[in-house]
Structure formats: C-alpha cells, structure tokens
Amino acid sequence: MEIREGGADDAPVLLAMLDAAVEWLASRGRTGQWGDTPWSTDPARAARVRDIAGNDDIRIALVDGKPAGAMALSSGPPRYVEPVDEPEVYVTLLVTDRACAGRGVGSALLRTAREEALRRGAALLRVDCYAGDDGRLVEYYTGNGFVRDRTFSVDGWPGQLLTRRL
C-alpha cells in the first residue's frame, strides 16, 4: 500500500468512494449515516467534498496503484464541533473502498494522520463519526487508539467526537 498526497483534483475520487460507501451501506439497510442518495448527485454534498479537497490536506491510499481510501486533514474542526485552545489535526473525512475491506486501508490512513500531527507539532488528533445504529464505526475509531470525547447531534444526526493524545 502506498499513501500519496492529494488535492483539489481528487474531488472525483472522493465522491466516487463516498457514492460506493453509500450504496454499500444502503444495501445493508444502514442509511442513517449518509442516507441512500449518492453524494455526487446532491449539489450541497458534492460542493462540500470539492471544498474539502481544495482546502484540507488530502491523502489517498493506493492498493495495486488504484485508490483504496481517502482522508482529509485540517488544522481545526468543522463548524459543529467546538475548537480547542491547542494545535490539533482534525480528520475531516475518512472513507475506504469496500473492495479493499480488511486490508487495513483506514488504519494506515489514521497512522498517517498521527504522523502528520506529530510533524506539525500537534499533540491532539480528533475525528468525529456517525454514532447511530450498532456503534461499529465508533468502535472502529476506539480500536485505532481514539477515546470517546462527547456525543452531539447535527439536525438529528447522532455524532461522536473522539480524541487521541499524541
């Protein structure tokens, strides 16, 4: 596996992965996280992804030369999470290709986030995720070294903020 830096030109890659993730989740009746509509067909979501790709630090994981996962990093949280009074790196997006499930793509990207935070001199790495359904996504992050911080809700969407001290 290789992890490369990305940028605004990777917005279509991010959208394709998000669309595939929505399709996979919806096929299992798990529409609470991202709904059942492809992100690429929702103008607001597509614009959000283009904004993330253009403004955040993008990392693309490649398996056999093909995109297998993507992550976006920022120096601060999204609008719905309170900022902190210390340097941090915030994972604003993490998505993997289901075809590469079980190959450690997401964990490799999170290790890259940790390395980037240390490189920037930040002692805090944060992420938020969907906290509904069976809680498997929250458990995924705790299994990758994050600790539950607090729950929150955005227009009825249940979220979990997680932190990792470095």
Side-chain angles (χ1 to χ4, degrees):
M1 180 180 331
E2 172 189 348
I3 297 178
R4 69 166 173 82
E5 290 188 17
D9 291 343
D10 288 304
V13 172
L14 300 177
L15 282 168
M17 281 191 211
L18 287 163
D19 285 353
V22 166
E23 181 180 354
W24 183 82
L25 288 166
S27 73
R28 283 150 181 79
R30 300 173 60 114
T31 59
Q33 182 175 346
W34 287 334
D36 60 4
T37 303
W39 282 53
S40 62
T41 63
D42 181 322
R45 284 183 161 178
R48 180 175 170 215
V49 170
R50 286 191 299 274
D51 182 60
I52 288 170
N55 294 306
D56 290 0
D57 293 324
I58 305 300
R59 301 293 184 273
I60 305 292
L62 304 170
V63 171
D64 299 327
K66 297 178 183 172
M71 176 178 65
L73 303 173
S74 178
S75 60
R79 62 169 175 73
Y80 53 85
V81 173
E82 291 183 28
V84 293
D85 290 333
E86 66 179 287
E88 75 170 313
V89 169
Y90 201 100
V91 178
T92 55
L93 176 69
L94 179 67
V95 62
T96 59
D97 183 338
R98 292 305 305 167
C100 295
R103 296 183 72 175
V105 173
S107 294
L109 286 165
L110 290 173
R111 282 191 301 275
T112 299
R114 180 183 181 282
E115 292 165 6
E116 181 62 20
L118 291 170
R119 189 188 70 72
R120 293 181 188 184
L124 180 63
L125 182 61
R126 295 198 299 168
V127 64
D128 68 78
C129 70
Y130 178 64
D133 296 328
D134 57 12
R136 286 179 20 200
L137 190 54
V138 174
E139 294 305 316
Y140 174 78
Y141 285 107
T142 60
N144 276 280
F146 288 84
V147 176
R148 296 170 194 240
D149 185 313
R150 67 174 182 86
T151 60
F152 61 91
S153 177
V154 177
D155 299 325
W157 184 87
Q160 175 71 55
L161 177 64
L162 300 110
T163 61
R164 183 168 181 192
R165 287 271 162 207
L166 309 176

